[in-house]
Amino acid sequence: MVEITHLDASPDTRVPKASVRAADGTAAAATLGLNFGSAEQRGETLVVRIRPDEWYLLGDGAPAMAAGLDLSGFASTVDISHSRTAVRITGDCAADTLSKLGSADFSDHMTPNGAALGNGIAGVTCDIVRDDQRGVRSYLLLLDGSFITYFLGALHDAASEF
Amino acid sequence: MLLVPCPNCGPMNAADLSYNGESHRRPDPKTCTPEEWRTYLYLRENPSGWLLENWYCSSGCRRHFKIERHTLTGELRAPVLPGRKPGATQGDMK
Amino acid sequence: MSHRLPAPLGDVIDRSSVISFTWNGKKLQGFEGDTIASALLANGEHILGRSMKYHRPRGVLTADFWDPNTTVQVDDEPNVRASHRKLADGMAVSAQNVWPSLKFDVKAANGLVGRFLTAGFYYKTFMKPAKLWPAYEHVLAKFAPGGSVDLDTPHGRYDKRHAHPDVVVAGGGPSGMAAALAAAEAGSSVMLVEHEHQLGGHLLWGSNDDRAAANELAAACAAAGVEILTNSTVAGRYEDNWISISQRSHPGVIERLIKARGKTLVGAAGTIERPYVFQGNDLPGVMTSGAAQRLIRMYGVKPGTRAVVFTANESGDSAVEALQSAGISIARVVDARAGEGITSASGSKSRVKRVTLSDGTTVECDLLVTAVGWTTPTSLLNMAGDRPVYDADAARFFPAGPPDNVLATGGMIGDGSRDELIAHGRATGELAAGRAAVVRHRLQAATARAAAVDGPEPDYPADERTPLDRAQHPELYRSTTHGIVDYSEDVSSKDLFSAAGEGFDSVELIKRFTTATMGPSQGKLETVNTVAVLAEARNETIAEVGTTVWRPPYAPISLGALAGRINEPTRVSVLQPWHEANGATPILAGQWVRPEHYGDPAAEVRNTRTNVGIIDVTPLGKLDLQGPDVPKLLNLLYTNKWMALPIGGVRYGLMCAEDGVVLDDGVTARLGEEHYLMTTTSSGAAKIWNWIEMWLQTEHPDWQVHVTPVTTGLTSINIAGPNSRELLGRLTTDIDLDPTAFPYMNVRRGTIAGVQNCIAWRIGFTGELSYEIHVPSGHAVHVWEQLLDQGADLGVKAFGLEAQRIMRLEKGHFIVGQDTDGLSKAPVTGLNPLLKLDKDDWAGMPEVAWTMESGDHPVIVACQPDNGSVVPEEAAQILRAGTTEIVGRITSSRMSPTLNRSICLAQVTKEFAAPGTSLEVLLVSGERITATVQEHHAHFDPEGARLRG
Amino acid sequence: MGKNKPPAKYSAAGLLWRGLRKQSWPRVWREPEFKSTYDVVIIGGGVHGLATAYYLASNHGITNIAVVDKQYLGSGGSGRNTAIVRSNYLTPEGVAFYDRSLDLYNSMSNDLNLNVMFSERGHLTLAHTDSALRTMNWRAEVNKLQGINSSVITPAEIKKLTPSLDVSADTRYPILGALYHPPGGTIRHDAVVWGYARGADAYGVDLHQKTEVLDILVEGGSGPEGKGPSGKVTGVRTSKGDIHAPVVVNCTAGWASQLSNMAGVTLPITTHPLQAAVTEPVKTFLPTVVVSGSLHVYVSQTDRGELVFGASVDPVATYNMSGTLEFTEELAGHVLELMPGISKMRLLRQWAGLCDMTPDYSPVMGPTPVDGFYVDVGWGTYGFKAGPVSGEQMAACVANGTTPELIKPFELSRFTEGTLVGEKGAAAVGH
Ligand SMILES: Cc1cc2nc3c(=O)[nH]c(=O)nc-3n(C[C@H](O)[C@H](O)[C@H](O)COP(=O)(O)OP(=O)(O)OC[C@H]3O[C@@H](n4cnc5c(N)ncnc54)[C@H](O)[C@@H]3O)c2cc1C
Ligand SMILES: NC(=O)c1ccc[n+]([C@@H]2O[C@H](COP(=O)([O-])OP(=O)(O)OC[C@H]3O[C@@H](n4cnc5c(N)ncnc54)[C@H](O)[C@@H]3O)[C@@H](O)[C@H]2O)c1
Ligand SMILES: Cc1cc2nc3c(=O)[nH]c(=O)nc-3n(C[C@H](O)[C@H](O)[C@H](O)COP(=O)(O)O)c2cc1C
Ligand SMILES: [Zn+2]
């Protein structure tokens, strides 16, 4: 079973998203913390260290958290709510579905809950956060919004066998 | 498909990276001669053997790094991020 | 089914389930579990096709996938392996390479002239007269072997999947099953891949004990959680154990490609039985011992009534038992181990009738079974870099030593009893699991996101397996007579001798000259016999001759499976549904689907020039740049100067590659103290982002700049035309549009149609007064609709890409990649004031400087045909008058709705660039026309009064 | 004619005669003795090396030549290319050059007395975008001016020529038109190699197979070990011993850098694999050569019935010829875009060769800064069709000591002078 949801399908459900870029040693980097490739829910915000010097703040708390950051030193934020679109794929076969379209290893040992990675899925570069929902395997995919029509088609097609 | 060890992400499928070719030094554009500049632009050692080259982790950490690759056997060793010393990261991952 | 044997023979068929099919139009029946070939044989149809060159009748030879003689057409599918493909209800099966019919084939006449059609005969003839070769060629092509494609075949469902198993086992015989089981028991995730329809390997046609053991092992594998893929082939092993598996047994798909990154690969492909080379060896009724056993024991089919068995090993002996169990009389067992042999077989056109032995005696029979030895299918191991080595005692090639992450077991490396094979398989499985565990530990430790590793890295297990013995086997390749070596290519040992005699001295040259081993089984049956014959002909050893290169795939894969679901990403702006609902003709530009026009591009131009138009330009690349060093970066990448751009300012820039060739162009705005927005061409968006990261990370890691692509996040709308200020003014409250407050080439941020955080800049690609607004995409549809609503009385209309192209041409703006090409250095654009040679450094500067110094380069000019109703094609060449010397070409051309005449941009050599020069343009029709070089690039409003207004 | 007797005549009558008398054919070439001195050493037994040897002998009477190859003749690109020949290039330099080659190919079966099976079946380069169509028009226009039969045709005309192509407008990559070049086609590549080899051998040229050049001997150069610019070549060191020769010609394509580096000459070349594949044979249905630049694929059907596919070079430079799975996946996807009806055909074999890629998709030919050391390299993905003319012109270059007009634009010095050739623009797929 897999369930695919485009979270940004309507303005009401759109997930606020911010990107924070911060060099090592800056206050923002210290505040956000985390290891590269991992994610953590903090209140209303899912914080993801998606690259060594870049964090995503996702969820209703994101704008406030971004605005509250100390950007001294070499740090900056960009609102990416409209650039990246969010798709959630949940269910026991979620990893099998992704494995049809992407080459990353989505097994528990290589991509445990809370892991974040970049991988091409059906030819579209996605940032992927393994973010299980109440114990059910789930992935949050962030991709360039312009691909969404194509992307959902490919995802549903891949999931159709499950 | 080759597995390329990104110094940040670990082993990655080559298709998830961009290949930027032989690593070479850029001459000073102010003082160089046409020969020097065009050597930089066009001439390549292109060895059959070990070669230091540039890769870009385009779907992972988005870092450019250098790695030594054996152009005949495909072996890889010692990836380095620019500004870091060789050997500061893990080696052969295969 | 006259040739069907009674149960219990026929393990894999289900006699309760009858299947109907047709064979060359004739209605026949078989059973569930039959292959097409077994069903045909059961019906007494023993000629399944004809050979490629001589059109000799052919019957079952090996009765497995590799059988070269039983390739048939099934419905719209050519080249189906009848000895492997399971019979299905309603199949229309027909023979290939036959004309007009299987029984009577006129091309069989080729057989009579075979003496002249030696290998490579076509190289030696048809040279003269040269004119006739195409006709000969036509005839030759008619002889192309194989089935036929139906070009209306629908593209059925094929699929793909990635996998990351610890261990992949190729081959599900006893050793492969044992390896998979042991690896799974040791904690590995295992994929066991078997080419045939069931696990068991050679046990499936062996003794009762063998078959029982096979079932037991198969059940144990399933219980241990091994992922078992039957009717699936490990097709290739690529770098770092990237393994391709073609799976023909996945429900709902015709075939699917699994791409597995195996931590270890176990090769357990067993052995393939070799045919024997002697005169008459391709007569129907001559088959291998494996074939006879498969037919009898698996399919319950009687392959003949009176048999001669030529055996050199226990497989032949076991075949004798099988034949006896089927009630076939054994006319003679010829034992190679006792020094006996056969020299030829002969018979009628369609069946073997007698065999001549080495001692000269002849024996009547209708079945000749040969068991002359094995070939190791080293193909997969070769793909892993291994080179096979010949062992004369065992009379076969063995792997020399594959890399550490590839292990071989079973028949690939030796021989033994069933228990010995299983024991070796188990040891191999354990070793594979141990090595996989180390690789897994390393992968996990090196991958930031992975789960933490437990404890230290395990020791890398050394290979301490007890090797399998290699059974002694006589070297039996060719008798004293000549016969077929490559059945599918119709190459005989005689052909090989004569090619060797002509000097095609290495096995690779022999292969290419005779085409031996180049057919559908890719040498799995033929290579070693080819090598042996060549060795004989050249008086060399088999080891000296060596084999040809094996290449993927191990067994052919359909193009459908390799393609899989065809996923070709396309992108659209959030306005695309509006465009489509409003009659836009879509055009694919790179990955973007965009509106080319809404019906009449010329009308769109006129409306924009007189009223106001809006266009969706979202695909324009947009990069958010932040940090104190952005000006340095811009100064480095653009040819002009950027240190003094004020906040609120916008500037145009040109980028070059390091060879001075124009790379991209666009405008960049300064939004705040350390905040800029850069635009690139649509096609350059991804490239320029990488380009910037490259410069920042490798040449100037000390510079502080953050780059974030925001192309899709901001929907970009250009509002152009005399009424654009009025229109925008109706939608914004907080942006002062007064020309003095917001002059040309300036940027403002504000609220548009109630949407905050919009960016507006005044630029003019179309040459009109125009504002390009960038709206957070979630709100763009609203803004777009507001523009149309609020501007109805102002005549606002959407315009498409084509109208924009026309207007930019009217303004003389060049397009990178259209008006420039792969050799156009920056001075070609004529934008010399933007090429600042007094800067310290910029990408491509030296080449640009030298080019300007030499002055030797073409330039872009605007020109107008003297006859304004003629539009020269883009690509029309410009010639030195009255000659064929090319001095330039038209790079852009259109009929201008504004000027009512044709207009062009062209690249011409310096000599022809001066305003007023008359150019001779060669139209595609061949007609020459004249055109005149214009004073300015802009055909329209060269002073820019409109856009600055 | 040289001092040796010309090659045995192949003919239909000969075939008959020998068939009746059960006579065998004479050897195609000798197994020559290894000599330590030659007038010219040619490194590389591909079409370029062998043609150069052949024309040195036949046109210039120079026969004391060794052609050395580390493997068998044709083991490089010449034995693994998809054998597409055409002359509809983009630049006048390119057109003139390849057109001469096509002429030589046309008369080759006769000249070499061996049927090279030149199949003049027509060559289609498809355009899927406006800009590709523009480039096709550009090529057509340049071609016409040079007298080359090449024009842009419509989807309907394409469908007529090649019914298996999907020319409907609603595909992901619609076919908007094609550059049609009737004189283009395919050739039996091995036959060309063998024909030149047999011809050269008959003139007395020694063909040394399984002889690897390990070093190039240079004296007086400005670089390390006396190699490099202003040096003078004296011979080569091979796996079978040294050969002394005042002239050494590097015709090693994919390995060109390796060999030139041995002489101290750095080239503007990187080596990339180019892959190809064949399907199982089926009855012929594809009458023309079809190339699609945007889809990076080209395909033709041999007289044996296989489809032969090629693509563009792999992005990563390597000397490894194993080939990749990705190639076959992309290839199949793209081929099925063009011909959806062949999804059930099966890929039989894939392979790879090495291509010596230059920055401007044009070769490097002629002398080098080391006296006596010549190169005929940089042949990338398009060098097979150039074999005959290259051999002819390189032979003239070596024999006369001056660079012929036809290959002047391709001299190595163009890279330091910054006068690159403009083929890159049209060379997305350079076949
Ligand atoms: C898959 C593929 C498809 C292609 N398709 C086409 C096409 O359709 N049309 C076209 O025109 N071109 C095509 N090409 C390009 C073409 O094959 C080559 O450009 C051409 O064959 C080069 O010929 P050559 O004689 O220069 O080199 P090669 O044929 O490569 O010969 C070089 C020889 O040098 C030998 N050598 C290397 N190093 C040494 C050494 N140290 N000592 C001794 N010998 C050495 C090698 O063994 C080799 O035999 C294709 C290439 C490939 C790989
Ligand atoms: N092959 C025979 O007819 C036969 C008969 C008697 C004894 N033997 C001996 O038994 C030994 C062989 O036993 P074994 O267990 O090693 O092999 P096996 O021959 O019993 O089984 C190998 C299996 O691997 C499969 N296979 C091969 N390549 C494959 C691929 N690429 N992908 C998926 N499946 C593939 C085959 O279909 C076969 O079922 C040898 O010593 C041989 O001499 C063989
Ligand atoms: C035009 C052409 C057609 C080919 N056709 C076949 C073929 O029908 N069957 C086959 O096995 N190989 C075919 N090959 C491939 C060769 O077997 C071989 O793979 C190729 O020459 C590379 O050599 P290598 O694989 O020995 O490295 C063909 C090659 C070319 C260039
Ligand atoms: Zn990385």
Side-chain angles (χ1 to χ4, degrees), chain A residues 6-111:
Chain A
H6 179 207
L7 300 177
D8 295 336
S10 85
D12 320 330
T13 58
R14 177 178 294 280
V15 183
K17 310 173 200 79
S19 151
V20 180
R21 302 283 298 272
D24 278 353
T26 56
T31 311
L32 294 172
L34 293 178
N35 289 324
F36 163 54
S38 66
E40 187 178 275
Q41 187 75 36
R42 293 186 191 153
E44 293 213 291
T45 313
L46 180 63
V47 182
V48 188
R49 187 160 185 185
I50 192 65
R51 268 163 282 282
D53 69 341
E54 183 174 10
W55 289 258
Y56 284 160
L57 311 181
L58 307 168
D60 291 340
M65 187 183 282
L69 285 172
D70 172 358
L71 295 180
S72 58
F74 182 35
S76 65
T77 73
V78 179
D79 179 357
I80 54 164
S81 304
H82 301 264
S83 306
R84 311 288 285 166
T85 201
V87 173
R88 182 174 284 291
I89 167 163
T90 306
D92 294 341
C93 295
D96 298 325
T97 304
L98 292 180
S99 287
K100 289 179 68 177
L101 303 171
S103 63
D105 184 344
F106 294 103
S107 64
D108 286 334
H109 62 279
M110 288 305 285
T111 310

Side-chain angles (χ1 to χ4, degrees), chain C residues 170-176 193-196 200-203 205 232-234 268-271 314-315 374 380 396 409-412 414-416 421 554:
Chain C
S175 40
V193 188
E194 169 53 51
H195 184 65
E196 289 295 336
H202 72 278
L203 300 183
W205 63 87
S232 301
T233 310
V234 173
T271 51
E314 72 280 14
S315 181
W374 312 107
L380 284 177
R396 65 187 204 255
T409 183
M412 298 191 77
D415 306 285
L421 291 172
Y554 182 86

Side-chain angles (χ1 to χ4, degrees), chain B residues 6 8-9 57 60-61:
Chain B
C6 166
N8 287 315
C9 304
C57 189
C61 64

Side-chain angles (χ1 to χ4, degrees), chain C residues 489 508 511-512 515-520 522 548-551, chain D residues 72 74-83 187-190 276-281 300 302 304 306-308 321 348-353:
Chain C
E489 301 285 314
E508 294 287 6
K511 160 184 155 177
R512 286 160 178 76
T515 74
T517 79
M518 290 174 81
Q522 286 288 292
T548 51
V549 176
W550 297 93
R551 290 201 177 264
Chain D
Y72 58 96
S75 55
S78 300
R80 52 191 73 233
N81 74 92
T82 45
I187 200 156
R188 185 71 186 98
H189 58 286
D190 287 327
V278 285
T279 62
E280 295 176 350
S300 66
T302 69
R304 283 161 43 82
E306 317 109 36
L307 294 186
V308 181
M321 292 200 275
L348 178 63
R349 184 180 179 96
Q350 67 173 110
W351 67 93

Side-chain angles (χ1 to χ4, degrees), chain C residues 512-831:
Chain C
R512 286 160 178 76
F513 185 65
T514 65
T515 74
T517 79
M518 290 174 81
S521 63
Q522 286 288 292
K524 289 187 187 62
L525 296 180
E526 307 87 354
T527 295
V528 180
N529 284 345
T530 302
V531 169
V533 171
L534 180 59
E536 204 188 328
R538 287 188 50 84
N539 220 346
E540 289 176 350
T541 65
I542 289 178
E544 279 165 343
V545 172
T547 70
T548 51
V549 176
W550 297 93
R551 290 201 177 264
Y554 182 86
I557 313 185
S558 67
L559 296 180
L562 288 169
R565 310 292 299 154
I566 297 183
N567 288 323
E568 291 277 359
T570 51
R571 310 175 69 175
V572 290
S573 101
V574 294
L575 300 175
Q576 186 63 19
W578 186 95
H579 301 316
E580 279 168 24
N582 286 275
T585 299
I587 184 172
L588 192 69
Q591 290 184 319
W592 289 91
V593 182
R594 311 184 61 175
E596 185 170 22
H597 57 76
Y598 302 84
D600 182 356
E604 291 164 21
V605 169
R606 283 189 291 267
N607 185 63
T608 304
R609 293 254 184 256
T610 46
N611 298 312
V612 56
I614 57 175
I615 179 173
D616 177 6
V617 290
T618 303
L620 212 62
K622 295 177 283 281
L623 296 167
D624 179 282
L625 306 175
Q626 298 191 47
D629 295 315
V630 176
K632 284 192 203 161
L633 175 76
L634 300 176
N635 230 24
L636 177 70
L637 299 186
Y638 284 126
T639 64
N640 53 344
K641 294 188 178 174
W642 289 81
M643 300 309 285
L645 182 71
I647 295 176
V650 176
R651 189 165 287 172
Y652 170 83
L654 189 67
M655 290 189 194
C656 292
E658 287 279 75
D659 57 2
V661 170
V662 176
L663 183 68
D664 204 67
D665 68 347
V667 298
T668 292
R670 185 166 181 192
L671 302 176
E673 185 58 36
E674 294 184 357
H675 192 185
Y676 293 72
L677 182 66
M678 170 186 281
T679 61
T680 69
T681 59
S682 308
S683 57
K687 177 176 66 186
I688 298 303
W689 179 27
N690 287 351
W691 179 239
I692 293 179
E693 288 289 358
M694 194 269 286
W695 282 99
L696 285 174
Q697 292 183 34
T698 64
E699 286 291 321
H700 297 285
D702 52 322
W703 287 2
Q704 299 196 338
V705 180
H706 285 145
V707 192
T708 311
V710 293
T711 301
T712 307
L714 294 173
T715 295
S716 305
I717 303 169
N718 196 287
I719 311 166
N723 295 341
S724 58
R725 180 177 292 131
E726 171 66 23
L727 175 57
L728 187 56
R730 294 180 186 182
L731 267 71
T732 178
T733 46
D734 55 359
I735 303 175
D736 182 356
L737 296 180
D738 185 90
T740 49
F742 188 176
Y744 182 58
M745 295 307 267
N746 267 254
V747 62
R748 299 293 180 265
R749 305 170 84 169
T751 308
I752 297 173
V755 178
Q756 293 170 349
N757 293 320
C758 294
I759 296 164
W761 56 33
R762 259 195 80 182
I763 54 170
F765 198 49
T766 57
E768 291 301 321
L769 170 66
S770 84
Y771 299 87
E772 193 158 287
I773 61 174
H774 304 283
V775 181
S777 291
H779 309 295
V781 175
H782 165 73
V783 173
W784 180 264
E785 285 173 347
Q786 281 298 300
L787 284 166
L788 290 163
D789 273 6
Q790 307 273 325
D793 60 313
L794 299 174
V796 66
K797 288 244 163 57
F799 65 100
L801 209 53
E802 175 59 12
Q804 191 194 39
R805 286 194 202 123
I806 295 172
M807 287 188 274
R808 71 88 202 177
L809 183 58
E810 289 175 340
K811 275 302 288 180
H813 294 301
F814 65 89
I815 294 182
V816 175
Q818 175 170 344
D819 301 293
T820 67
D821 57 59
L823 284 189
S824 304
K825 294 183 183 168
V828 171
T829 63
L831 298 180

